[in-house]
Amino acid sequence: MNIHEFQAKELIRQYQVATPDGRVATDAEDARQITKAYGGQSVVKAQIHAGGRGKGGGVKFATDPDKAAELFKQLLGMNLVTKQTGPEGRRVFTVFISNPVDIERELYLALLVDRATSRITIMASTEGGVDIEEVAEKTPEKITRVAIDPAVGMTAFQAREVAFALGLEGDAFKKSVVFLQNLYRLFVEKDCSMVEVNPLVITKTGDVTALDAKMGFDDNALFRHPDILAFRDLNEEAPEEIEASKFNLNFIKLDGTIGCMVNGAGLAMGTMDIIKYHGGSPANFLDVGGSATEDAVKNAFRIILQDKAVKGVMVNIFGGIMRCDIVAGGIVKAAKEIGITVPVVVRLEGTNVEEGKRILAESGLNLIVADGINDAAEKIVAATK
Ligand code: ADP
Ligand code: MG
């Protein structure tokens, strides 16, 4: 799960990590008052779960309180397109007013889980404020990586190594070490998957402060962080994914045309691979898991069919704990309730497969039955071409 900049800043403040003052404005008048309180100037920032807002026109400087009110009105409700949102953009529901900072230097700092080393890793660069992907591609030597031993935690010398790499001295050096140690503590205690501070700013007065903050959390750990879960913003999630999560189903939206209903993430990967192998492309996959009821399967099928991009559905179930007759029952229920307007290929195998096939055959539905995963993929690709 990802959260907004203003929420991330709330959190890092709790961990004594420095960040400029800022508040969410409730309306244009509020934006004016906040700006007045900051001495008459502010930075007006659109809140969406994507970066690149600056270049995309979502971060604006207000030179006086009236201008802040005007910028608030301009940003609220706008469809913000940035490098990270894709061409469809994201609607802005929240506008954050930040105290402006006199920037001396913009640096890059991130903590993330590096899968290659299986360790939380610090990434730092003197090239802040810009696209880190571009730095990684063109001048990878400008990025310093420090992997942290989970048994030891972040040591002071590792924090100093990063501060040296960022070219810091004196007061800013000391402050950045404390900054990093507090950020690491937050990362571990809150089960983050990623914290990115871009830019990390050295101010004209030598302070070290997080001008921007992006945070992602491990979904599997959210149950023990109700404070983080409260930050969830449904506006930022695909409607189908929200709908699926209500039934404990895992739905992932992709950009192809074939809907996939499977049980288990491994089978989902295999199904998508073989669809691609035969020249098709998955529109989504919905994992019904190992213990779905007939009703959950019905909802799963309904959610897949509601996806406008879906030109056909491949059902690929290997019945273990999940029984084929329950899957078949769910499909039939969904089909009777909402009707099937696209080709559906069904491959069932495993527990109660005969009963499942009987239910499908007797339903009178126009389904394409497949023998095995390869046959199923071939048939759905052919049917949607
Ligand atoms: P994004 O990464 O989505 O583009 P940022 O929050 O990093 O958004 O803002 C983009 C740029 O705007 C920053 O690199 C910085 O130059 C400027 N900026 C943002 N907040 C402030 C602030 N409080 N004071 C001064 N400049 C700011
Ligand atoms: Mg940024």
Side-chain angles (χ1 to χ4, degrees), residues 135-183:
V135 181
E137 199 176 302
K138 290 186 184 147
T139 49
E141 70 282 1
K142 288 191 171 162
I143 299 177
T144 300
R145 287 166 175 269
V146 178
I148 297 162
D149 185 330
V152 180
M154 185 192 288
T155 61
F157 81 78
Q158 285 180 314
R160 287 198 294 271
E161 184 183 342
V162 173
F164 274 123
L166 291 174
L168 301 177
E169 294 172 339
D171 242 16
F173 183 95
K174 286 184 204 144
K175 284 175 178 161
S176 72
V177 169
V178 176
F179 184 105
L180 201 53
Q181 286 174 319
N182 286 337
L183 201 62

Side-chain angles (χ1 to χ4, degrees), residues 88 237-242 244 250-260 272 281-287 303-304 306-311:
E88 70 280 6
E237 297 176 29
E240 301 97 329
E241 292 180 14
I242 298 168
N250 229 329
F251 180 93
I252 306 291
K253 180 89 184 91
L254 301 162
D255 50 17
T257 57
I258 299 172
C260 304
M272 293 192 292
S281 171
N284 56 46
F285 77 79
L286 202 152
D287 177 4
I303 290 163
I304 291 179
Q306 276 169 353
D307 184 344
K308 299 261 181 301
V310 169
K311 302 275 174 281

Side-chain angles (χ1 to χ4, degrees), residues 96-128:
F96 182 63
I97 314 290
S98 178
N99 202 354
V101 166
D102 277 333
I103 301 173
E104 176 78 30
R105 291 178 61 201
E106 294 200 8
L107 309 170
Y108 179 91
L109 181 68
L111 290 171
L112 45 88
V113 181
D114 180 5
R115 287 173 196 279
T117 57
S118 309
R119 290 183 174 195
I120 297 172
T121 298
I122 311 166
M123 270 179 68
S125 174
T126 51
E127 310 303 296

Side-chain angles (χ1 to χ4, degrees), residues 1-15 24 47-49 93-94 96 186 190-192 194 213-217 219 222-223 225-237 242:
M1 189 186 94
N2 296 325
I3 62 174
H4 288 295
E5 173 197 2
F6 76 94
Q7 297 164 328
K9 287 183 166 174
E10 226 171 82
L11 259 183
I12 66 175
R13 253 183 230 114
Q14 289 171 21
Y15 279 79
V24 167
Q47 301 294 293
I48 55 170
H49 286 186
F93 291 95
T94 309
F96 182 63
L186 161 67
K190 297 293 181 188
D191 293 307
C192 295
M194 188 273 303
K214 290 191 170 45
M215 272 191 194
F217 298 86
D219 289 349
L222 284 175
F223 73 93
H225 301 294
D227 56 332
I228 307 295
L229 208 49
F231 285 146
R232 185 174 176 193
D233 182 355
L234 295 180
N235 289 321
E236 295 285 338
E237 297 176 29
I242 298 168

Side-chain angles (χ1 to χ4, degrees), residues 11-30:
L11 259 183
I12 66 175
R13 253 183 230 114
Q14 289 171 21
Y15 279 79
Q16 288 80 48
V17 174
T19 184
D21 274 343
R23 269 174 48 199
V24 167
T26 50
D27 54 30
E29 181 51 31
D30 196 27

Side-chain angles (χ1 to χ4, degrees), residues 43 45 51-54 59 98-101 103 106 198-199 211-212:
V43 181
K45 308 180 79 170
R53 295 166 303 161
V59 177
S98 178
N99 202 354
V101 166
I103 301 173
E106 294 200 8
N198 186 25
L211 228 64
D212 188 11

Side-chain angles (χ1 to χ4, degrees), residues 267 315-318 345-349 368 370-373 376:
L267 193 58
V315 177
N316 188 14
I317 300 289
F318 195 91
V345 172
V346 183
R347 180 258 176 156
L348 294 177
E349 209 58 77
I368 306 166
D371 279 320
I373 182 170

